[in-house]
């Protein structure tokens, strides 16, 4: 039924704007264009109680209609003033370019109801473009419903108004029987959770007689979406568990490495290491996500997994999102292995910016199987880069890569084990919703020796003089032999760093001119008295790989005291001597990105300090966001706060926002209970019926939701 063409219930003329401007082709397209909110017109307003700014509903008689046409900028503009009265007082309704049939109805002597927000023009109260219905067009029950019913407000465009959508939906609901709509939620699941049928809920969400009825409909539609999504994830999870992979049991290499570690692993590293070791020892591919705090030791967890794979001659490839991070990982892995193990495993670095001869040597070592560990960027995905026996794929900062990129990397081996890493903690409901096809592990305990990071808000709005003290504080740290970062959202005036999680939209025609940029900031800092003699340099994503690597090497070696950088330092940069960071325009960044940036300092024996500079007003959304970061260093708590403030797609990144972008009513941050219940129901359904053959509507919905799930359903 929902697949029927829209023109089967609306005339071609009526359907045309929906097809052309909203891309709607079917009844389902229109009915799934759900209201973004509902309001109640409320009790009729007495003319004596009208106040500017209030939404009112008036029952009145039309006492006068006057139209006047002018030609501003050469285009005809018809202004119609309809005067209405309750017999004692009057009010003007103002319309522009009314359609001819509408003007024909609004005639002196007609009575009706008129709703809108009161404004004042030339000292007179008026309603501009109010909604209206004439009593001659409504029977008694319709008049009552018009006043007391919940009115849906739809996402609209300049060409298609909310009112026209509402009328089209009403027409469709009158002409189709939603009881005929098949339901993806099986009957026994609906009954056990007290849910409306899908068709009934869809209709009630558009036309609800009460708040209670609307909430019932909303809950049923949320369940409808949650079950489809969770069933899709469970299907994919079960599919991967049926695939054949090479078991990689732990052996002498891992034991030797552990015996040489100069420190103890944290309890979480031990626990997750055991989980990964068990995964790798099975004959089906591991699919595990490890999320952990900044500096919690995810790279060490990954390296131990690589050593286990190397025991059987298998290769591990590690994909990083940037050249800087790939180089950092490579150096960290070589240093951690030590000379003897590094010589035996022969780690190589493969990036697109390497000199041709160096990249060729690394690629040959990988292709021949001589190298058992390859670290790199997108160059690893290149068709020219081949491997002898890929046993493990490690993807760092996985949210920065699309599904296609990850699959291209996995195709380098025959169903290799996959380990995803993220230093951006993910709220539990998000992990359950987006990564439900993966096993998820959390690294929460920090390695010994990590010092706390003090975080303070520097409000330029409240105390402009604080900036001088901030730079003085940076100078004190540098004078004590330590190093500093200054982070800006832009590279040069008007040029934001690519990939930065910036939240404030630029003003029309202004671009990103208002943001602090690296080029200007560097020049200004060179003139700050507290920083005279400080060795400073810039680091941005626009620099070449060699330039970035050279600057980072100099900084790590202590040849530079201060880096003015963009978010290119967000992940992977490990300079234990860096103790202070100043983030300019901190309110421009997402919370998780700020938390990542903060994690670049305090990684050594000295305490870290992070100063968040903002001009946002205290108590504003941006001000609260920055204040929240100053209150805690718990990345998981920060992630929950970020999700509560922002839409899921904003928080989740590329893969995740793609998954949730089609959700209409389900909210990952708000509907944890429904998501958990749907997860349990989906698991039970698929355990009993792996291919969902007994629930064809759910099977069809799951296949439509995900290409990966469709393959899984068709392959068994």
């Amino acid at each position: 039924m929902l697949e029927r063409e829209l023109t089967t219930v609306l005339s071609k003329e009526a359907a045309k704007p929906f097809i052309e401007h909203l891309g709607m082709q079917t009844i389902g397209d229109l009915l799934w264009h759900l209201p973004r909110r509902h309001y109640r017109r409320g009790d009729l307003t007495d003319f004596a109680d009208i106040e500017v700014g209030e939404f009112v509903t008036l029952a009145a008689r039309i006492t006068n209609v006057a139209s006047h046409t002018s030609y501003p900028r050469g285009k005809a503009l018809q202004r119609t003033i309809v005067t209405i009265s309750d017999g004692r007082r009057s009010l003007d309704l103002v319309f522009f370019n009314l359609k001819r049939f509408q003007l024909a109805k609004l005639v002196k002597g007609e009575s009706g109801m008129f709703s809108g927000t009161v404004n004042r023009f030339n000292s007179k109260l008026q309603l501009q473009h109010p909604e209206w219905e004439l009593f001659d067009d409504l029977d008694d029950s319709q008049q009552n419903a018009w006043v007391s019913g919940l009115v849906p407000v739809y996402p609209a465009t300049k060409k298609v108004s909310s009112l026209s959508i509402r009328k089209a939906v009403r027409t469709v609901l009158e002409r189709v029987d939603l009881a005929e709509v098949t339901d993806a939620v099986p009957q026994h699941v609906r009954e056990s959770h007290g849910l409306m049928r899908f068709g009934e809920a869809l209709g009630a969400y558009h036309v609800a007689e009460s708040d209670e009825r609307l909430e019932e409909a909303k809950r049923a539609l949320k369940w409808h979406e949650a079950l489809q999504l969770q069933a899709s994830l469970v299907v994919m999870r079960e599919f991967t568990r049926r695939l054949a992979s090479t078991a990689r049991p732990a052996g002498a290499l891992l034991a030797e490495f552990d015996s040489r570690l100069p420190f103890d692993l944290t309890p979480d590293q031990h626990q997750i290491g055991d989980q990964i070791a068990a995964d790798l020892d099975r004959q089906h591919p591991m699919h595990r996500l490890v999320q952990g705090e900044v500096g919690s030791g995810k790279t060490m967890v990954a390296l131990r997994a690589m050593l286990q794979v190397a025991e059987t001659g298998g290769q591990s490839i590690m994909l990083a999102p940037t050249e800087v991070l790939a180089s950092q990982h490579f150096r960290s892995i070589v240093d951690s292995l030590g000379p003897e193990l590094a010589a035996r495993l022969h780690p190589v670095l493969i990036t697109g910016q390497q000199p041709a001869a160096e990249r060729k040597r690394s690629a040959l070592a990988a292709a021949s199987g001589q190298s058992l560990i390859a670290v790199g960027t997108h160059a690893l995905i290149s068709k020219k880069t081949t491997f002898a026996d890929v046993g493990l794929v490690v993807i760092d900062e996985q949210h920065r890569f699309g599904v296609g990129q990850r699959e291209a990397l996995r195709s380098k081996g025959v169903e290799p084990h996959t380990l995803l890493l993220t230093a951006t903690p993910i709220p539990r409901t998000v992990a359950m919703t987006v990564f439900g096809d993966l096993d998820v592990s959390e690294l929460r305990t920090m390695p010994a020796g990590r010092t706390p990071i003090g975080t303070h808000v520097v409000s330029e709005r409240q105390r402009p003089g604080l900036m001088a003290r901030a730079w003085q504080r940076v100078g004190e740290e540098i004078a004590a032999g330590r190093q500093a970062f200054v982070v800006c959202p832009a590279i040069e005036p008007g040029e934001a760093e690519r990939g930065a999680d910036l939240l404030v939209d630029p003003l029309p025609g202004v671009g990103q001119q208002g943001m602090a940029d690296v080029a200007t900031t560097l020049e200004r800092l060179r003139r700050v008295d507290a920083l005279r003699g400080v060795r400073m340099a810039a680091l941005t994503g626009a620099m070449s790989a060699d330039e970035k690597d050279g600057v980072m090497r100099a900084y790590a070696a202590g040849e530079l005291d201060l880096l003015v950088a963009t978010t290119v330092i967000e992940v992977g940069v490990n300079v234990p001597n860096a103790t202070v960071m100043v983030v300019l325009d901190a309110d421009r960044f997402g919370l998780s990105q700020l938390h990542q940036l903060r994690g670049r300092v305090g990684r050594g024996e000295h305490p870290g300090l992070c100063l968040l500079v903002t001009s946002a007003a205290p108590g504003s959304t941006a001000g609260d966001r920055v204040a929240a970061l100053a209150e805690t260093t718990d990345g998981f708590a920060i992630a929950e706060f970020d999700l509560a403030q922002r839409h899921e797609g904003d928080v989740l990144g590329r893969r995740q926002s793609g998954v949730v972008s089609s959700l209409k009513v389900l909210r990952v941050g708000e509907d944890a209970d429904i998501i958990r219940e749907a997860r349990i129901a989906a698991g039970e359904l698929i355990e009993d019926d792996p291919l969902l053959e007994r629930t064809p509507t759910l099977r069809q919905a799951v296949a439509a939701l995900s290409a990966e799930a469709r393959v899984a359903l068709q392959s068994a």
Side-chain angles (χ1 to χ4, degrees):
M1 150 124 22
L2 296 182
E3 293 76 26
R4 285 171 52 191
E5 294 290 323
L6 199 54
T7 50
T8 62
V9 286
L10 297 179
S11 68
K12 289 185 178 180
E13 183 181 357
K16 184 177 179 181
F18 297 95
I19 295 169
E20 291 185 353
H21 302 295
L22 293 176
M24 296 178 180
Q25 300 291 334
T26 67
I27 294 173
D29 291 338
L30 177 62
L31 294 185
W32 263 117
H33 190 80
L34 296 173
R36 54 185 169 87
R37 65 184 177 90
H38 293 75
Y39 71 87
R40 193 184 303 280
R41 292 189 183 94
D43 296 331
L44 294 177
T45 307
D46 191 311
F47 270 55
D49 298 331
I50 294 174
E51 292 184 12
V52 173
E54 287 193 351
F55 186 89
V56 299
T57 297
L58 305 166
R61 180 181 297 274
I62 298 173
T63 59
N64 191 56
V65 179
S67 293
H68 173 72
T69 302
S70 59
Y71 296 89
R73 299 178 184 175
K75 293 184 177 181
L77 177 67
Q78 183 191 57
R79 184 169 184 260
T80 301
I81 298 178
V82 177
T83 303
I84 60 172
S85 172
D86 66 350
R88 290 173 297 168
R89 300 171 183 83
S90 62
L91 182 74
D92 285 345
L93 315 178
V94 181
F95 299 92
F96 294 96
N97 291 337
L98 269 177
K99 290 185 170 67
R100 187 175 299 175
F101 77 90
Q102 294 174 315
L103 190 57
K105 284 190 171 187
L106 293 169
V107 296
K108 183 177 178 179
E110 289 286 352
S111 296
M113 288 182 283
F114 308 87
S115 289
T117 301
V118 182
N119 60 55
R120 189 188 301 276
F121 181 75
N122 286 343
S123 76
K124 291 188 67 176
L125 298 181
Q126 63 177 22
L127 304 182
Q128 281 197 8
H129 273 283
E131 296 178 66
W132 55 275
E133 295 275 3
L134 299 180
F135 287 146
D136 285 349
D137 296 335
L138 301 173
D139 59 29
D140 290 344
S141 64
Q142 287 174 322
Q143 290 181 32
N144 182 62
W146 201 93
V147 173
S148 62
L150 289 166
V151 181
V153 179
Y154 293 88
T157 70
K158 188 175 181 180
K159 299 289 187 180
V160 186
S161 70
S162 177
L163 182 59
S164 63
I165 296 171
R166 189 190 316 160
K167 288 181 176 178
V169 168
R170 188 163 57 190
T171 299
V172 169
L173 293 179
E174 289 171 353
R175 297 179 181 177
V176 301
D177 183 3
L178 291 183
E180 297 178 9
V181 176
T182 54
D183 206 322
V185 181
Q187 182 177 349
H188 73 277
V189 176
R190 286 200 314 274
E191 291 175 351
S192 64
H193 292 280
L195 304 174
M196 284 183 183
R197 285 187 59 86
F198 172 63
E200 181 186 6
L202 195 56
Y205 200 85
H206 289 284
V207 183
E209 300 88 3
S210 65
D211 292 318
E212 293 75 19
R213 180 76 169 169
L214 179 62
E215 286 305 310
E216 274 189 79
K218 186 183 294 186
R219 182 168 176 267
L221 293 181
K222 286 183 175 185
W223 248 96
H224 176 84
E225 291 189 313
L227 185 65
Q228 290 180 53
L229 184 56
Q230 292 301 324
S232 173
L233 293 167
V234 173
V235 162
M236 289 189 285
R237 184 185 181 110
E238 294 305 311
F239 173 68
T240 56
R241 286 181 169 178
R242 294 195 299 268
L243 297 174
S245 184
T246 303
R248 308 283 181 175
L253 275 175
L254 180 57
E256 181 181 343
F257 175 77
D258 285 347
S259 69
R260 295 181 180 182
L261 284 176
F263 54 82
D264 293 328
L265 297 173
T266 67
D268 283 356
Q269 284 176 321
H270 272 297
Q271 180 182 358
I272 295 173
D274 290 343
Q275 292 171 346
I276 292 173
D279 289 343
L280 294 174
D281 197 16
R282 298 191 181 103
Q283 293 184 335
H284 59 78
M286 171 181 74
H287 286 269
R288 183 171 292 276
L289 169 68
V290 174
Q291 57 170 325
E293 288 283 10
V294 176
S296 58
K298 294 179 297 299
T299 306
M300 178 58 64
V301 167
L303 179 54
R304 294 182 73 248
M306 294 176 187
L307 285 159
Q308 181 168 336
V309 170
E311 187 70 38
T312 58
Q315 295 171 292
S316 297
I317 50 182
M318 184 176 196
L319 178 65
T322 67
E323 301 268 349
V324 169
L325 184 52
S327 298
Q328 288 270 345
H329 278 319
F330 176 69
R331 286 195 289 270
S332 174
I333 286 171
V334 171
D335 291 345
S336 297
L337 288 174
E340 186 178 333
L341 282 176
R344 287 158 61 184
L345 273 66
H346 192 64
V348 294
L349 178 67
I350 301 176
T351 72
Q353 300 299 318
Q354 281 178 303
E358 182 180 339
R359 181 176 174 182
K360 185 176 181 180
R361 283 195 299 272
S362 295
L364 285 173
S368 66
Q370 178 188 10
S371 171
L372 296 181
I373 297 177
V375 181
T377 56
H378 293 77
L380 292 172
I381 303 174
S382 168
K383 292 181 180 179
K384 295 180 181 179
T385 307
T386 60
F387 299 88
D389 179 19
V390 176
L392 173 66
V393 171
V394 180
I395 302 176
D396 193 26
E397 292 307 311
Q398 56 74 35
H399 61 284
R400 297 193 172 206
F401 299 99
V403 174
Q405 291 169 317
R406 290 194 293 271
E407 288 306 308
L409 193 59
R410 290 184 63 248
S411 69
K412 299 292 182 180
V414 179
E415 298 302 337
H417 300 282
T418 304
L419 181 63
L420 307 178
L421 308 178
T422 181
T424 304
I426 302 166
R428 288 184 183 275
T429 54
V430 173
M432 191 189 314
T433 304
V434 179
F435 299 109
D437 56 329
L438 305 174
D439 295 307
V440 180
S441 300
E442 294 179 357
L443 271 172
R444 287 180 176 263
T445 54
M446 303 295 283
R450 288 301 302 269
T451 53
I453 303 171
T455 306
H456 304 278
V457 176
V458 178
S459 175
E460 294 182 296
R461 178 187 290 261
Q462 289 184 301
R463 297 177 62 187
L466 279 179
M467 279 312 300
R469 174 55 186 150
W471 298 130
Q472 185 181 11
R473 187 71 184 85
V474 171
E476 291 169 0
E477 286 293 305
I478 292 173
R482 266 91 75 180
Q483 291 164 282
F485 292 106
V486 176
V487 180
C488 305
I491 299 172
E492 293 181 345
E495 184 183 354
E497 173 66 89
R498 185 179 180 185
D501 183 19
L502 304 183
L503 304 183
V504 181
D505 294 330
L507 296 174
V510 177
Q512 301 284 0
Q513 296 291 337
M515 296 192 300
D517 66 90
V518 169
T520 304
T521 301
L522 184 59
E523 289 305 311
R524 288 176 177 170
L525 292 184
R526 285 175 172 153
R527 298 193 296 271
V528 173
D529 288 340
L531 300 177
R532 293 206 180 276
V534 168
R535 299 166 298 173
M536 58 182 74
L539 182 68
T540 75
M543 297 164 61
S544 71
D546 288 343
E547 289 174 321
K548 285 184 285 192
D549 194 55
V551 170
M552 278 310 307
R553 284 180 180 273
Y555 188 70
E559 298 166 8
L560 292 170
D561 304 311
L562 185 150
L563 277 189
V564 182
T566 57
T567 53
V568 71
I569 65 161
E570 177 187 353
V571 291
V573 174
N574 184 23
V575 181
N577 194 46
T579 57
V580 61
M581 172 179 287
V582 179
V583 184
L584 301 178
D585 286 334
D587 50 281
R588 297 273 190 160
F589 298 96
L591 265 180
S592 293
Q593 191 161 50
L594 284 173
H595 182 58
Q596 290 290 315
L597 290 166
R598 175 172 61 180
R600 299 310 107 205
V601 298
R603 302 173 73 89
E605 58 181 309
H606 302 290
L609 173 66
C610 181
L611 303 177
L612 304 172
V613 181
T614 177
S615 57
S620 65
T621 300
D624 287 346
R625 186 168 57 248
V626 175
L629 191 79
E631 292 172 2
T632 182
T633 57
D634 183 345
F636 290 89
I638 289 167
E640 294 285 357
F641 183 89
D642 206 15
L643 181 61
Q645 270 209 332
R646 301 164 62 192
H647 190 273
E648 295 96 339
D650 297 328
V651 175
L652 299 177
R654 293 181 188 175
R655 174 194 178 183
Q656 297 95 309
S657 64
V659 169
V660 301
S661 62
S662 62
L663 297 180
K664 302 293 185 181
V665 289
L666 186 70
R667 290 292 171 261
V668 175
E670 302 169 6
D671 298 321
D673 290 345
I674 289 177
I675 291 169
R676 277 193 290 267
E677 290 171 357
R679 178 71 175 184
I680 293 170
E684 291 172 348
L685 285 169
I686 290 164
E687 182 179 5
D688 185 50
D689 180 19
L691 298 182
L692 298 175
E693 291 172 318
R694 295 197 292 276
T695 52
T697 304
L698 179 59
R699 176 188 169 94
Q700 183 180 2
V702 166
L705 186 67
S706 162
E708 295 156 297
R710 184 162 60 250
V711 170
L713 287 170
Q714 294 171 349
S715 62

